[in-house]
Amino acid sequence: MSIIWAHLPGYSVNDYLPVKIGKAINVKFWMQTEGRLQVRETGDNYLTSTSSHDFDFGGTVISEMAINDTLILVVDTGKMQFYIESERTSGVAFNNGYFGKFVRAKGRLSFGEYPFNMGVEEVEIIPQQIIKVTIPKSKIIDYNGALAIPGYLSPDEYTEADTQSVEEISDDSNTEAFYLIQYQLADL
């Protein structure tokens, strides 16, 4: 079994309830990439954890689709599948040249959101640990009564005092928090 961390933003918690330590749930994944994709004709698949829920990965594009003018690629690393948002598209192009190619990048693993997660393999995970991270008030921006709340912060943007270990995520409309979930993933 592989132990992996993933991010669950507060605004999408209700899509996954209940999330409880030791209780299996079925999920699809999203890799939020940093920087540009490196594209090659072929390569060796890999998924390497660099810290917490940040990864280096390389995998084969098994599907590409345009959704809401965004190009979505489904990547298979051999250990798991996830989708990535690639680039803006006209919405009419079905083949943007990525299908069957090998892509590499760095990213943060999150639970996938519909409709972008279409075509991604659903996997069963068993949460081992759940950390609730309350977003510090200094990171929330008030635009004349409309709040801009980040869905994620890097570890250097919050302190240990902002974190709390919880046994379960229940009905939670608290969008001023996100969750880090450690889980077991069956080795393929």
Side-chain angles (χ1 to χ4, degrees):
M1 296 295 239
S2 296
I3 301 294
I4 295 180
W5 285 89
H7 158 256
L8 177 59
Y11 62 82
S12 67
V13 162
N14 287 330
D15 296 338
Y16 293 95
L17 293 177
V19 178
K20 185 175 185 175
I21 291 177
K23 183 180 189 288
I25 59 174
N26 293 315
V27 297
K28 297 180 180 187
F29 290 104
W30 169 24
M31 185 69 75
Q32 298 179 50
T33 56
E34 302 170 3
R36 297 186 61 98
L37 286 177
Q38 296 178 21
V39 182
R40 298 191 174 122
E41 288 299 319
T42 62
D44 293 327
N45 293 338
Y46 66 93
L47 180 67
T48 306
S49 177
T50 57
S51 66
S52 193
H53 51 281
D54 293 329
F55 294 87
D56 285 334
F57 69 89
T60 304
V61 176
I62 59 172
S63 178
E64 63 179 50
M65 63 195 104
I67 300 176
N68 300 329
D69 296 330
T70 301
L71 180 61
I72 306 300
L73 304 176
V74 177
V75 177
D76 186 345
T77 66
K79 287 194 172 231
M80 68 185 313
Q81 293 179 4
F82 47 78
Y83 74 87
I84 58 177
E85 295 177 38
S86 183
E87 57 200 39
R88 302 301 288 171
T89 183
S90 66
V92 296
F94 289 102
N95 183 349
N96 288 281
Y98 290 98
F99 183 77
K101 299 235 172 111
F102 180 82
V103 295
R104 293 178 44 181
K106 296 177 187 248
R108 180 178 69 246
L109 193 61
S110 294
F111 286 18
E113 297 181 17
Y114 181 80
F116 289 0
N117 68 18
M118 291 188 305
V120 177
E121 176 183 57
E122 186 173 76
V123 295
E124 183 177 276
I125 65 169
I126 302 170
Q128 302 299 303
Q129 185 178 7
I130 303 170
I131 305 293
K132 180 178 182 177
V133 180
T134 301
I135 298 170
K137 298 239 183 267
S138 62
K139 300 295 180 186
I140 299 172
I141 301 170
D142 187 344
Y143 292 107
N144 297 322
L147 299 179
I149 302 169
Y152 169 79
L153 297 172
S154 62
D156 61 346
E157 295 179 292
Y158 58 88
T159 66
E160 190 174 327
D162 299 317
T163 65
Q164 173 186 6
S165 182
V166 296
E167 292 289 317
E168 137 177 42
I169 304 171
S170 57
D171 187 20
D172 188 7
S173 58
N174 181 5
T175 58
E176 295 178 14
F178 63 89
Y179 298 85
L180 300 173
I181 301 172
Q182 181 189 58
Y183 60 90
Q184 287 183 352
L185 179 69
D187 290 327
L188 302 176

